[in-house]
Amino acid sequence: MRVEVTHNPAAQRFEAALDGQLSVADYELRDGIMHMTHTGVPLALRGQGIAAQLVRAALDHARAHGFKVNPLCSYVRAYMQRHPETQALWAR
């Protein structure tokens, strides 16, 4: 399922609204590093690839703006480990 992901810089998160429910990928931006702190998808929407789309949008944003990524969220960490094309973004 494809969802529309939007960036909400005021809330420091990427969002996807579906069926009246909000899925998010939260971050904190400090010193050129996007610290990915939490990815949340409501229980009724899980298993549809929404979290992956949120994280992909966040990583694309980081790449476009020259940010590194610190995957504090276990989902983001696992996503980056599974996708070698994201390794250059990793703030180690």
Side-chain angles (χ1 to χ4, degrees):
M1 167 189 308
R2 188 92 178 117
V3 297
E4 181 181 342
V5 176
T6 59
H7 183 209
N8 182 340
Q12 293 193 46
R13 67 185 184 197
F14 289 81
E15 304 172 337
L18 186 65
D19 295 335
Q21 299 185 72
L22 188 64
S23 300
V24 298
D26 297 315
Y27 68 90
E28 295 174 11
L29 185 60
R30 294 189 309 272
D31 301 321
I33 299 175
M34 183 182 277
H35 301 272
M36 298 295 300
T37 58
H38 174 257
T39 304
V41 175
L43 189 57
L45 299 176
R46 291 185 186 166
Q48 300 180 53
I50 296 169
Q53 291 177 65
L54 288 164
V55 171
R56 186 176 315 115
L59 297 177
D60 288 348
H61 177 81
R63 184 179 291 109
H65 290 84
F67 301 141
K68 292 292 186 180
V69 175
N70 179 11
L72 298 173
C73 168
S74 60
Y75 182 86
V76 176
R77 189 176 320 108
Y79 182 96
M80 291 181 77
Q81 289 170 338
R82 285 192 315 268
H83 294 87
E85 70 277 9
T86 68
Q87 296 302 300
L89 294 173
W90 206 305
R92 297 186 192 244

